[in-house]
Amino acid sequence: MAYDPGAIDATLAAAVGDEPALIAELREAFLDGVQRCLETMKSAESPDAWAAAALRLKGLAASFGAVRLMALATEAANGQAHDGAILRRLHRAVDRL
């Protein structure tokens, strides 16, 4: 799957126009939401809670055009809860945003 580092900024620019400050603010809000989803996944007390957090992450990623993150969140939702390998891959994907 291709990785497009500008997809989020392009999605935000399409939504709000050429407003760099607003784009930066929305990008920060997106990254905060992503971090909350990851923390919820890490602290999930059941496989269902894990999957629910992963699906929230998938939806958030889809809303912002983060295709790679969306695919990894889907994999996490369909996989085993607390899978360390998928968590590492998710963190790497977020670091690339």
Side-chain angles (χ1 to χ4, degrees):
M1 179 173 293
Y3 171 68
D4 181 4
I8 294 171
D9 290 336
T11 299
L12 291 172
V16 300
D18 187 27
E19 296 288 334
L22 183 55
I23 290 171
E25 186 178 329
L26 290 172
R27 186 179 225 293
E28 186 65 29
F30 166 71
L31 292 173
D32 287 346
V34 166
Q35 290 301 328
R36 281 192 305 275
C37 286
L38 290 173
E39 290 302 318
T40 301
M41 288 174 70
K42 288 178 194 174
S43 64
E45 295 183 6
S46 70
D48 287 342
W50 164 274
L55 290 173
R56 279 192 301 276
L57 178 59
K58 175 185 175 183
L60 183 59
S63 297
F64 283 82
V67 177
R68 176 73 177 146
L69 184 58
M70 184 177 67
L72 288 170
T74 300
E75 185 178 336
N78 294 327
Q80 185 174 1
H82 299 284
D83 181 337
I86 192 68
L87 279 172
R88 285 188 295 278
R89 290 169 56 206
L90 283 164
H91 279 284
R92 279 195 304 269
V94 171
D95 289 344
R96 292 179 182 153
L97 299 174

